[in-house]
Structures are given as C-alpha cells and as structure tokens.
Amino acid sequence: MNKLLLQMAVEQAAIDYLVLLALTLLAITMSVFIVFQAYRGSRRNDSRRMFFLALGLAFLTVVPFSLSLVLTAVGQSFQTGPRMYSFYLPVSTRIVELCGLASLLYSLYIEA
C-alpha cells in the first residue's frame, strides 16, 4: 500500500514538473516574440527609446524565465541545497527585474 502511494506521488510530481516546464517554455516563446517585435520597431524607426523599451521587456520577461530554468537545472545536477531556490534564484531574478525596470524607466525619460 505504501509503495503504491509513493509511486503515485512520484508520478504526480513528474507530471507537475512537465506542466510547469511547458508553461515556462510557452511564456519564454511569447516573451521572445514580443521583445523581437519591439526590437524590430526600434531598428525600423531608429529609436533609442524603443530599443530601451525592448531591452527592459527582455529583462522583465525572457531573462527571469530562462534564469529560473537554468538555475533549477544546475541546482538539480549538482544537488545544491534549498538555499539555491530560497535565496540565490529569487535574488538573481529580482536583480534582473530591477535592471529591466530601470531600462523601461530610462526609455520613458530619454530625449527623443
């Protein structure tokens, strides 16, 4: 009985991870498309404001998702402790998000 419950829990965890991975990859794909469109707009109009908007969007969307995937894979490969997920991943994500917000703010206040 216990063995069956344990096996069911392991299978459910695997399904949960696959769902999370699929959603993360979908979010990365959508983010890359949006950032690419903003970058194309900046190149087409030769606009520094639009370039920093695209950069800020990349730092707010693409990079945190990718960082989450990479650090999770590295953490599982090297069997790092819970500190990787409770400290290093959130801190690194927040730093990248702050860079993205700073870039967006700069794009609003830069001279046209």
Side-chain angles (χ1 to χ4, degrees), residues 2-84:
N2 277 341
K3 199 173 199 178
L4 180 62
L5 287 175
L6 181 62
Q7 183 180 1
M8 287 174 51
V10 168
E11 289 173 2
Q12 184 62 43
I15 291 171
D16 291 348
Y17 284 126
L18 286 176
V19 168
L20 182 60
L21 177 65
L23 290 173
T24 302
L25 292 175
L26 178 64
I28 288 173
T29 304
M30 291 174 67
S31 300
V32 166
F33 179 74
I34 292 168
V35 169
F36 179 70
Q37 292 301 323
Y39 177 73
R40 277 186 40 194
S42 76
R43 299 294 288 177
R44 181 176 45 245
N45 298 319
D46 195 28
S47 171
R48 285 188 67 207
R49 296 179 91 173
M50 193 71 162
F51 173 77
F52 282 102
L53 175 71
L55 184 66
L57 287 173
F59 276 131
L60 285 173
T61 57
V62 177
V63 177
F65 287 125
S66 303
L67 194 61
S68 173
L69 281 176
V70 168
L71 287 182
T72 300
V74 167
Q76 289 180 353
S77 296
F78 293 110
Q79 296 186 355
T80 59
R83 186 152 171 82
M84 169 68 89

Side-chain angles (χ1 to χ4, degrees), residues 67 71 80-96:
L67 194 61
L71 287 182
T80 59
R83 186 152 171 82
M84 169 68 89
Y85 309 108
S86 66
F87 180 72
Y88 294 116
L89 180 59
V91 166
S92 58
T93 301
R94 292 307 170 265
I95 289 171
V96 167

